[in-house]
Amino acid sequence: MSRRLLVVGAHSADFVWRAGGAIAAATRAGGVAQVVALSYGERGESGELWKVEGQTVDNVKQSRHAEAEKAASALGAEFVALDFGDYPLEIGEERLGRVVDTVRAFAPDVIVTHTDTDPFNPDHPVAHHAVVRARTLAAGAGVQSGFPTIAPPALFLFEPHQPELCNFTPTTFVDITEVILAKREAMAAMASQVYLQTYYDERAGHRANHARRASGRSEIRYAEAFQRVLPQVVAEL
């Protein structure tokens, strides 16, 4: 069955570091993936680009868009930018409506986004609350409604940079061993944040160690960690 995966980040590179492997695994298995950036991270997440003399916000946005499209392509996904601005990312009623419309139009089986806490990044919790609310509004209350609804997507949080400070407890590991080269290609595309590439490559190795211990599958060399938010409904255990 083709799965529809929607990954929503506060900034245009968030999907690459934290869910790039899961995206590539989904599309390689025949699924469809869309990555949505609420902002480009043009002000607070584009350090290399701001080293250029005479740099402008518009030029940074163009560079970040090109990087994200290239990264998404490497993972087999579509990139969508809502361009809400960053540091601070602010989402009022009109912008929330755009997020709801995006979720409803794609009708994902799974949504992945940020944790509700991040003491080092003011935009990540804002993205979390907007996505959680948008998901609920797009799906409705599970009854006939006066507006179009979608089937309630499963909700996961991807791993933050420092999980122990962000209310993150991994409940799910995705084996990304077979797609690690695609993730590395996507990370390399984000030239404005080269300082994160080594960290997240190493993190995939750390999480593979945890995945091996949890599953006994010795062949897992790289993995990504996620936290399931809502109960899973199954026919049997």
Side-chain angles (χ1 to χ4, degrees):
M1 181 177 64
S2 177
R3 298 279 283 172
R4 297 179 67 80
L5 174 65
L6 179 67
V7 180
V8 184
H11 314 105
S12 60
D14 290 334
F15 75 92
V16 176
W17 319 120
R18 299 172 174 91
I23 294 167
T27 58
R28 178 172 289 192
V32 180
Q34 183 180 86
V35 293
V36 176
L38 301 182
S39 81
Y40 285 112
E42 65 272 11
R43 286 159 46 88
E45 306 241 321
S46 305
E48 295 300 313
L49 297 175
W50 285 108
K51 294 178 181 179
V52 177
E53 186 176 354
Q55 187 62 276
T56 67
V57 167
D58 285 343
N59 285 341
V60 171
K61 285 183 179 182
Q62 291 178 17
S63 295
R64 293 281 285 187
H65 190 99
E67 289 177 358
E69 280 197 326
K70 185 176 180 181
S73 177
L75 303 173
E78 175 193 13
F79 173 69
V80 175
L82 297 184
D83 194 14
F84 291 163
D86 70 314
Y87 282 77
L89 172 65
E90 297 181 334
I91 300 180
E93 182 178 354
E94 186 274 332
R95 288 181 172 181
L96 177 63
R98 289 178 61 190
V99 181
V100 174
D101 289 344
T102 300
V103 174
R104 187 179 287 125
F106 187 70
D109 298 299
V110 178
I111 296 178
V112 185
T113 193
H114 295 274
T115 53
D116 64 359
T117 302
D118 192 331
F120 301 113
N121 194 300
D123 294 345
H124 292 173
V126 175
H128 168 90
H129 292 294
V131 172
V132 169
R133 190 174 181 197
R135 175 198 171 276
T136 305
L137 290 170
V143 297
Q144 190 69 30
S145 304
F147 51 87
T149 60
I150 62 173
L155 178 61
F156 288 85
L157 310 180
F158 46 48
E159 183 169 15
H161 191 82
Q162 197 162 346
E164 66 274 17
L165 299 179
C166 299
N167 292 340
F168 180 83
T169 301
T171 62
T172 305
F173 294 109
V174 177
D175 177 9
I176 64 168
T177 306
E178 296 299 319
V179 294
I180 188 61
L181 293 182
K183 177 166 184 174
R184 286 172 175 163
E185 182 180 348
M187 291 195 295
M190 304 308 300
S192 56
Q193 288 182 282
V194 293
Y195 54 89
L196 290 177
Q197 294 175 21
T198 299
Y199 175 85
Y200 280 101
D201 199 300
E202 292 176 348
R203 194 60 174 159
H206 298 158
R207 286 310 192 184
N209 178 283
H210 302 159
R212 289 194 299 271
R213 290 174 62 88
S215 67
R217 292 176 51 194
S218 60
E219 74 276 11
I220 299 177
R221 311 316 301 173
Y222 299 97
E224 289 174 340
F226 299 88
Q227 180 175 339
R228 176 182 281 274
V229 176
L230 300 170
Q232 183 179 15
V233 180
V234 297
E236 60 183 20
L237 293 179

